[in-house]
């Protein structure tokens, strides 16, 4: 069983690939978050967690899900985590295992690999230029092929991981600021002169946080579910969505198969 979260598609692609090799079911976390989060796992089935790195931590929606998660005899199963990141993971897996310990589970192996950058919420952060983006995707495909084989054979231990020289500063200092100040939908706004009311942003939001549809100007619900994954921003065909003034003149990115 593979529990995953994805905003702009990098992690969805990775999770789907692993699922195709292991023949194990994919569970999209937002779809089950409001349920009892109690799952039955087959005797020889793996337990996987796939997610993008947000602020050098697991996304808060993944952490909330894990706190609610209940799996009978979970410790008897091979457990792994796979994270996609634009640069490095910081202490992401340390946070993850701390959360898992609360439900009697720990990862047997952790993996990460770099994919094109999609976070544009900080003034100094933008998507990668085309050459860098394509190089990251090409390398990412190769790394996913390798780590997926390790998952298939249930390899244990620290495997492929991207870690910075300053994991504590990134995850604890900048990460705390990110969670407290940046993970909110209030800065999102619509440039009315560019919006054609196509409804794509509402359809693509992974947590259904946008009221909209064909012929309706989008409106964020401010319900606390926004993960600032920027799927709405990146998928807007007319670049009509902005995050305050921090996304002005920045690029867009979302994963798609060639």
């Amino acid at each position: 069983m593979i529990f995953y979260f994805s905003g702009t598609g990098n992690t969805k692609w990775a999770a789907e690939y692993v699922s195709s090799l292991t023949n194990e079911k994919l569970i999209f976390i937002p779809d089950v978050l409001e349920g009892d989060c109690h799952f039955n796992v087959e005797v020889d089935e793996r337990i996987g967690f796939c997610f993008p790195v947000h602020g050098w931590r697991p996304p808060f929606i993944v952490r909330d899900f894990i706190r609610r998660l209940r799996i009978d005899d979970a410790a008897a199963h091979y457990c792994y985590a796979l994270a996609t990141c634009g640069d490095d993971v910081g202490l992401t897996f340390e946070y993850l295992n701390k959360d898992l310990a609360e439900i009697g589970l720990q990862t047997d192996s952790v993996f990460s690999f770099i994919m094109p950058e999609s976070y544009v919420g900080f003034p100094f952060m933008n998507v990668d230029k085309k050459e860098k983006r394509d190089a990251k995707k090409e390398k990412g495909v190769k790394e996913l092929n390798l780590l997926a084989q390790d998952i298939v054979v249930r390899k244990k231990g620290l495997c492929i991981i991207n870690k910075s020289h300053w994991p504590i500063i990134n995850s604890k200092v900048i990460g705390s600021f990110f969670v407290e100040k940046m993970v909110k939908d209030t800065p999102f706004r619509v440039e009315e002169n560019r919006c054609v009311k196509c409804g794509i942003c509402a359809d693509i939001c992974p947590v259904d946080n946008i009221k909209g549809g064909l012929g309706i100007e989008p409106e964020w619900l401010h319900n606390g579910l926004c993960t600032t994954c920027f799927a709405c921003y990146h998928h807007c065909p007319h670049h009509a969505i902005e995050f305050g003034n921090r996304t002005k003149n920045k690029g867009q990115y979302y994963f798609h198969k060639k």
Side-chain angles (χ1 to χ4, degrees), residues 2-245:
I2 302 171
F3 302 103
Y4 82 97
F5 175 73
S6 182
T8 52
N10 287 334
T11 308
K12 181 181 180 182
W13 158 70
E16 287 177 341
Y17 182 73
V18 174
S19 174
S20 71
L21 295 182
T22 61
N23 294 315
E24 290 170 347
K25 186 178 180 180
L26 280 170
I27 304 291
F28 187 47
I29 289 174
D31 288 345
V32 298
L33 197 58
E34 298 305 314
D36 63 6
C37 297
H38 186 183
F39 297 89
N40 295 314
V41 181
E42 299 295 329
V43 174
D44 200 36
E45 193 173 0
R46 305 162 189 81
I47 300 173
F49 298 93
C50 300
F51 53 86
V53 174
H54 283 187
W56 294 279
R57 300 180 180 192
F60 82 85
I61 194 171
V62 174
R63 302 189 71 186
D64 284 351
F65 170 70
I66 288 172
R67 294 184 185 107
R68 304 180 192 185
L69 180 62
R70 296 294 178 269
I71 298 176
D72 296 333
D73 200 24
H77 297 269
Y78 173 77
C79 178
Y80 66 91
L82 187 164
T84 58
C85 56
D87 188 3
D88 65 85
V89 300
L91 299 177
T92 291
F93 294 121
E94 285 82 350
Y95 278 98
L96 177 71
N97 274 315
K98 183 178 179 181
D99 293 338
L100 289 174
E102 297 295 322
I103 63 169
L105 193 59
Q106 288 285 285
T107 55
D108 293 298
S109 57
V110 295
F111 309 87
S112 74
F113 66 102
I114 292 175
M115 285 293 285
E117 182 63 70
S118 63
Y119 187 75
V120 290
F122 281 131
F124 56 87
M125 296 185 73
N126 198 353
V127 298
D128 298 315
K129 294 186 183 300
K130 184 180 185 303
E131 184 176 318
K132 187 175 183 180
R133 180 196 69 203
D134 292 347
K136 279 186 174 182
K137 288 183 72 172
E138 183 177 352
K139 185 178 180 183
V141 169
K142 294 177 181 177
E143 291 188 342
L144 179 60
N145 287 336
L146 292 174
L147 68 85
Q149 294 301 323
D150 287 341
I151 291 171
V152 169
V153 300
R154 295 176 166 84
K155 183 176 179 179
K156 294 186 177 183
L158 191 66
C159 301
I160 301 173
I161 184 170
N162 305 91
K163 208 161 188 176
S164 74
H165 296 295
W166 310 280
I168 294 176
I169 293 175
N170 286 348
S171 290
K172 293 192 174 182
V173 179
I174 303 177
S176 293
F177 176 83
F178 175 82
V179 171
E180 294 173 10
K181 303 295 184 181
M182 302 296 290
V183 185
K184 58 180 68 175
D185 61 5
T186 49
F188 282 110
R189 59 184 175 83
V190 177
E191 292 286 351
E192 295 182 2
N193 63 319
R194 296 202 298 262
C195 179
V196 297
K197 301 181 178 64
C198 63
I200 290 175
C201 56
D203 291 339
I204 205 69
C205 177
V207 294
D208 295 325
N209 183 51
I210 302 175
K211 179 182 178 181
L214 186 61
I216 302 173
E217 185 172 299
E219 178 183 346
W220 283 261
L221 300 180
H222 310 313
N223 57 13
L225 294 179
C226 180
T227 65
T228 58
C229 69
F230 286 92
C232 57
Y233 165 87
H234 289 296
H235 282 82
C236 179
H238 297 280
H239 215 312
I241 294 173
E242 300 285 6
F243 191 69
N245 293 319

